[in-house]
Amino acid sequence: MPGYVLTYFPVRGRAEPIRLLLADQGISWKEDEVQIPDWFSGKDARKKEAVFGQLPQFQDGDYVLYQSNSILRYLGNKHGLTGANDEERGHIDMVNDGVEDLRQKYGRLIFFEYETGKDKYLKELPSQLDFFERILSKNANGSKFVVGQKISFADYNLLDILQCHLDLCSKSLSAYPLLTAYVERLVARPKISEYLKSDARNKRPITPKHKK
Ligand SMILES: N[C@@H](CCC(=O)N[C@@H](CSC(=S)NCCc1ccccc1)C(=O)NCC(=O)O)C(=O)O
């Protein structure tokens, strides 16, 4: 039975929350690495087959899925990571959509405004992080996960984008005790800790713009 296959570029990017979920859940997967020049030059013909012409792609046997957030939600549904009831599921989706909003802001900075916009971005970042600190504060005083008693697919997405911001500025969470403790708690989970130390994780830059 073929297992899970994740097709993406040799970067963390939009595939990293998926990798964190799989690693933390003890689920093995195959990395199908696409070289960026081959993708854009057409040497790798898969761009024409991709539903939206982009990656990541996720394969579960013969089942093929694109869109990183859809892949996260699919794995959440399959592996019990979508909350305890409809209300929690709705809030998990809401938080994941909020993470997507922040990821798009982060991507715009990295790919289009880095030289001129970093200071302004960091100055305005608290207005975004305030939302997530408050979300954590409303669930068990921030001592657990974004929603409910169990980890959900949105937690892996939030962890990744927070780590991206810690890479951008190591002090970006210093005014956020709940977010700081949340990241520390999640990265200390044995399987996430093991993955974060792995060559597979550390050979990949966050984006093609980051130099290893
Ligand atoms: N909504 C989609 C967005 C997918 C996406 O943007 N994929 C990018 C990669 S994700 C990312 S971090 N993009 C920005 C930087 C980048 C560009 C090219 C390759 C790798 C990274 C991609 O496939 N670019 C190549 C292309 O469009 O032909 C999703 O969430 O999966």
Side-chain angles (χ1 to χ4, degrees), residues 8-9 13-14 36 39-40 47 53-56 67-68 111 208:
Y8 194 60
F9 306 104
R14 284 186 170 276
I36 296 175
W39 178 262
F40 283 109
K47 180 168 173 67
Q54 294 192 305
L55 295 176
Q67 292 292 351
S68 58
F111 296 110

Side-chain angles (χ1 to χ4, degrees), residues 62-77:
D62 295 335
Y63 179 70
V64 180
L65 192 57
Y66 294 87
Q67 292 292 351
S68 58
N69 291 302
S70 300
I71 297 166
L72 280 172
R73 193 171 294 106
Y74 173 76
L75 291 169
N77 288 327

Side-chain angles (χ1 to χ4, degrees), residues 7-24:
T7 301
Y8 194 60
F9 306 104
V11 298
R12 298 178 193 171
R14 284 186 170 276
E16 201 64 10
I18 300 164
R19 297 183 179 117
L20 289 167
L21 183 157
L22 294 169
D24 187 47

